[in-house]
C-alpha cells in the first residue's frame, strides 16, 4: 500500500540564505545536527578524466573585460586580492583571477555539499523515516507507544507530517494510549532538537492541536486533503534506545536530486547542515568534493556544510570543477545541473529579482562582506560557459551583486543570448511530479 505525500516550497522560506542579506530568517538558533557515525557506500564512479584545467593562458579578450571589472572594484575600495574569478568553456580557460586561491565561499559551499551527497548516496536515494508501535492495534487504538525513527530526511515538514497522519489513519489508527518515542536522526520543519521535532510531529498528527502555521500549510494542500486526528495520550520522549517496536509504515523522502534543488533554490542552510552531517560533516564533504572535482584538497576548506562561516573557503576553480563534476555524474541518469540548481526564468527562489540572463543555471552566496555567483551560462557562440565570481573586501552586497549581474550580462551579450536553458543544462521534465512516498510495512 503506497500513499503519495506533497512537499511545498513555502516552508523553505523559514530558513534560507547564507546570512541576513539573502535570508528570510537565520537558522543559527537551531542546534547543529550531530554528524552521522554510520558508514555510507559510494555508488557513483569517480570522474574518468581530470575536471580541473590548468590556470594558464586564459583568453586575452575575456581577461580584458574581467580586468576592467576588477579595476572598477578596486577604485571603489575593494582590492583585487579579495576577488576571485574563473571562466571556462569546455577545456578552454577564458579568464582567471586568483582562480586557485581559496576565498570565502558563502553559500557556494552548498555546491560542495550537493556534490558530496550525490557521490555518497546516488541519484535515486530517498531518506527513510520508520514508524512503529510497541503494542497491538485494537479497534483503532494503539495499546502502547508510537515510535518514530528518523533517517536524515532534511525536508520532513508540515505537509509530510500531515500526509503521514493520513496514512496512519488509513491503517486504522485513531488513538495511541502510550507515548510518542522519537529516535535516530529525525528532523521536522528543519528543527534539529529531537524533543522539539517530536512535539511538532505529535501536533501535526492531530488537526485539533494545529498551530496557525500548520493551518496555513494545510491550506496550500490539494482541496479535500483529509485532516488527521490521531490522539496520542502520552508525552513526547527522546530515546537513543527506544523500546522494541514493530514497524507499521515507512516514509520515504523525495529523491535526493529533488531535495538538493529545494535546498539550493532557497539556499536553505538548515537543509544543507542536515545533509552534510548525514555524510559525516564538513571535513568529509570537503574531502569528497575536492576528490570528485579533481582539485587539490587545499582549494576546498570547510567548517560547515551550509556556508554560514567566513572560514569556509573554496577556490573559484574548485567551484567550477564541482559544477562540472555534478554535471558529469548526472549525465548517465538523463539529468543535468538544472535538476540541482536554479534556472533563471524558470525556478522561483532566492534569485527572484536578480537581473540575470534567462536560462542561466546558478548558485549565489552572501555573507555580510562576501557575495558570490557561479554556474553555467548558455550562449549561442561559445556553448555552455562555466563561471565563478567571488567578491569580498567590505560590506558592499548590493554593489557586488550589481557588478556580477553586469559582468554576466556583458558576456551573454557578447557571446549570444539564448531564449531558454538548452537541453545540456535544462531540468528533466519527467521528474517534475516525483513525490515522497509512504508505504505500509507488512
Amino acid at each position: 500500500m503506497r500513499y503519495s505525500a506533497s512537499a511545498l516550497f513555502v516552508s523553505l522560506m523559514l530558513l534560507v540564505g547564507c546570512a541576513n542579506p539573502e535570508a528570510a530568517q537565520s537558522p543559527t538558533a537551531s542546534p547543529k545536527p550531530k554528524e552521522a557515525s554510520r558508514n555510507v557506500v559510494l555508488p557513483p564512479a569517480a570522474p574518468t578524466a581530470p575536471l580541473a584545467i590548468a590556470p594558464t593562458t586564459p583568453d586575452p579578450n575575456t581577461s580584458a573585460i574581467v580586468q576592467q571589472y576588477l579595476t572598477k572594484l578596486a577604485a571603489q575600495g575593494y582590492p583585487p586580492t579579495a576577488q576571485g574569478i574563473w571562466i571556462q568553456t569546455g577545456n578552454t580557460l577564458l579568464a582567471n583571477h586568483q582562480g586557485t586561491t581559496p576565498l570565502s565561499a558563502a553559500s557556494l559551499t552548498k555546491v560542495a555539499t550537493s556534490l558530496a551527497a550525490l557521490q555518497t548516496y546516488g541519484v535515486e536515494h530517498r531518506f527513510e523515516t520508520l514508524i512503529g508501535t510497541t503494542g497491538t492495534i485494537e479497534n483503532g487504538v494503539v495499546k502502547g507507544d508510537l515510535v518514530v525513527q528518523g533517517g536524515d530526511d532534511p525536508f520532513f515538514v508540515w505537509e509530510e507530517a500531515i500526509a503521514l497522519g493520513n496514512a496512519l489513519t488509513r491503517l486504522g489508527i485513531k488513538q495511541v494510549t502510550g507515548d510518542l518515542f522519537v529516535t535516530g536522526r529525525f528532523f521536522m520543519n528543519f528543527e534539529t532538537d529531537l524533543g522539539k521535532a517530536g512535539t511538532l510531529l505529535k501536533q501535526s498528527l492531530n488537526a485539533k492541536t494545529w498551530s496557525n502555521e500548520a493551518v496555513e500549510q494545510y491550506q496550500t494542500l490539494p482541496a479535500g486533503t483529509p485532516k488527521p486526528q490521531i490522539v496520542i495520550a502520552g508525552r513526547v520522549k527522546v530515546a537513543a534506545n527506544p523500546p522494541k517496536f514493530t514497524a507499521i509504515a515507512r516514509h520515504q523522502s523525495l529523491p535526493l536530486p529533488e531535495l538538493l534543488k529545494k535546498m539550493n533554490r532557497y539556499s536553505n542552510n538548515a537543509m544543507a547542515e542536515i545533509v552534510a552531517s548525514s555524510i559525516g560533516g564538513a571535513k568529509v564533504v570537503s574531502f569528497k568534493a575536492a576528490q570528485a572535482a579533481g582539485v587539490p584538497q587545499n582549494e576546498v576548506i570547510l567548517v560547515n556544510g551550509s556556508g554560514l562561516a567566513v572560514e569556509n573557503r573554496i577556490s573559484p576553480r574548485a567551484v567550477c570543477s564541482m559544477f562540472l563534476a555534478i554535471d558529469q555524474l548526472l549525465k548517465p541518469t538523463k539529468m543535468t545541473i538544472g535538476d540541482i540548481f536554479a534556472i533563471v526564468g524558470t525556478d522561483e527562489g532566492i534569485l527572484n529579482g536578480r537581473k540575470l540572463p534567462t536560462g542561466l543555471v546558478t548558485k549565489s552566496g552572501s555573507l555580510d562582506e562576501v557575495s558570490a555567483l557561479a554556474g553555467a551560462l548558455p550562449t549561442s557562440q561559445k556553448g555552455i560557459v562555466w563561471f565563478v565570481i567571488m567578491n569580498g573586501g567590505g560590506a558592499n552586497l548590493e554593489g557586488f551583486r550589481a557588478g556580477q549581474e553586469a559582468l554576466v550580462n556583458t558576456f551573454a551579450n557578447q557571446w549570444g543570448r539564448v531564449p531558454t536553458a538548452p537541453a545540456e543544462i535544462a531540468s528533466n521534465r519527467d521528474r517534475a511530479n516525483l513525490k515522497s512516498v509512504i508505504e505500509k510495512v507488512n
Side-chain angles (χ1 to χ4, degrees):
M1 186 182 301
R2 297 165 70 93
Y3 305 106
S4 294
S6 77
L8 307 180
F9 293 124
V10 179
S11 297
L12 281 164
M13 296 308 293
L14 297 174
L15 297 168
V16 298
C18 257
N20 59 312
E22 276 193 349
Q25 177 179 333
S26 171
T28 53
S30 296
K32 183 177 179 181
K34 295 180 180 179
E35 297 171 3
S37 59
R38 56 188 170 78
N39 295 322
V40 186
V41 179
L42 306 181
T48 55
L51 295 170
I53 61 177
T56 56
T57 61
D59 173 64
N61 294 327
T62 307
S63 297
I65 296 172
V66 168
Q67 187 56 53
Q68 292 175 359
Y69 167 77
L70 294 169
T71 299
K72 183 177 180 180
L73 282 174
Q76 297 170 348
Y78 307 104
T81 54
Q83 323 306 324
I85 293 181
W86 185 273
I87 306 174
Q88 72 179 77
T89 180
N91 290 323
T92 300
L93 181 61
L94 299 177
N96 168 26
H97 174 75
Q98 296 205 115
T100 59
T101 301
L103 301 170
S104 287
S107 270
L108 294 189
T109 297
K110 295 181 178 72
V111 182
T113 299
S114 298
L115 174 56
L118 289 166
Q119 279 281 359
T120 301
Y121 296 117
V123 298
E124 298 304 327
H125 181 76
R126 293 175 183 255
F127 295 98
E128 183 175 291
T129 302
L130 200 61
I131 300 89
T133 63
T134 62
T136 60
I137 303 174
E138 300 177 17
N139 298 319
V141 179
V142 174
K143 295 185 177 298
D145 304 311
L146 190 68
V147 181
V148 175
Q149 181 175 287
D152 290 305
D153 186 347
F155 195 69
F156 193 94
V157 291
W158 287 117
E159 299 88 347
E160 301 294 336
I162 292 170
L164 175 61
N166 286 329
L168 294 177
T169 300
R170 290 187 181 99
L171 292 178
I173 296 175
K174 299 178 182 178
Q175 183 180 346
V176 177
T177 62
D179 298 312
L180 172 61
F181 277 88
V182 184
T183 187
R185 291 173 55 81
F186 177 73
F187 315 103
M188 180 166 169
N189 292 347
F190 319 118
E191 176 57 66
T192 58
D193 180 276
L194 271 176
K196 293 178 180 179
T199 298
L200 288 169
L201 177 61
K202 181 182 179 183
Q203 183 183 68
S204 66
L205 295 179
N206 185 358
K208 292 182 178 180
T209 65
W210 283 356
S211 63
N212 290 336
E213 181 185 342
V215 171
E216 289 174 4
Q217 292 306 307
Y218 170 80
Q219 291 171 349
T220 67
L221 296 174
T225 298
K227 296 180 180 180
Q229 295 187 19
I230 299 175
V231 178
I232 300 176
R235 298 180 298 147
V236 173
K237 294 184 178 180
V238 174
N241 298 300
K244 185 177 180 181
F245 66 93
T246 300
I248 59 172
R250 178 184 296 110
H251 177 282
Q252 294 182 316
S253 72
L254 284 165
L256 180 63
E258 282 64 38
L259 292 173
L260 294 176
K261 181 142 186 176
K262 288 179 181 292
M263 177 187 82
N264 287 316
R265 281 175 58 184
Y266 291 90
S267 206
N268 188 298
N269 294 317
M271 287 186 73
E273 293 296 351
I274 291 170
V275 171
S277 67
S278 79
I279 298 168
K283 289 184 179 179
V284 177
V285 169
S286 175
F287 174 79
K288 290 186 175 183
Q291 186 178 56
V295 298
Q297 188 63 60
N298 61 12
E299 290 188 34
V300 185
I301 303 166
L302 304 179
V303 298
N304 61 44
S306 64
L308 271 176
V310 295
E311 293 83 3
N312 274 22
R313 293 183 290 130
I314 309 176
S315 74
R317 178 178 72 167
V319 174
C320 185
S321 297
M322 289 175 192
F323 271 104
L324 289 166
I326 292 172
D327 181 64
Q328 186 181 87
L329 188 153
L330 293 175
K331 278 182 179 178
T333 65
K334 297 182 180 180
M335 285 188 284
T336 77
I337 59 165
D339 289 292
I340 306 296
F341 301 98
I343 303 175
V344 175
T346 300
D347 296 322
E348 295 290 321
I350 206 154
L351 293 171
N352 290 353
R354 294 291 298 266
K355 298 176 182 178
L356 296 166
T358 299
L360 182 76
V361 179
T362 189
K363 181 74 191 78
S364 65
S366 297
L367 291 170
D368 289 338
E369 297 187 358
V370 176
S371 182
L373 188 72
L377 171 66
T379 69
S380 59
Q381 296 178 21
K382 290 188 177 295
I384 305 301
V385 176
W386 304 86
F387 72 96
V388 182
I389 307 168
M390 303 175 75
N391 299 130
N396 181 39
L397 289 183
E398 293 306 317
F400 287 151
R401 289 172 182 167
Q404 294 161 5
E405 292 163 8
L407 184 59
V408 173
N409 278 296
T410 295
F411 291 134
N413 291 334
Q414 179 171 315
W415 297 326
R417 292 177 180 268
V418 298
T420 58
E424 302 99 299
I425 58 174
S427 58
N428 185 337
R429 294 182 180 180
D430 292 339
R431 299 181 67 90
N433 295 320
L434 290 177
K435 295 178 172 64
S436 56
V437 173
I438 303 173
E439 298 178 323
K440 177 182 178 181
V441 176
N442 294 320

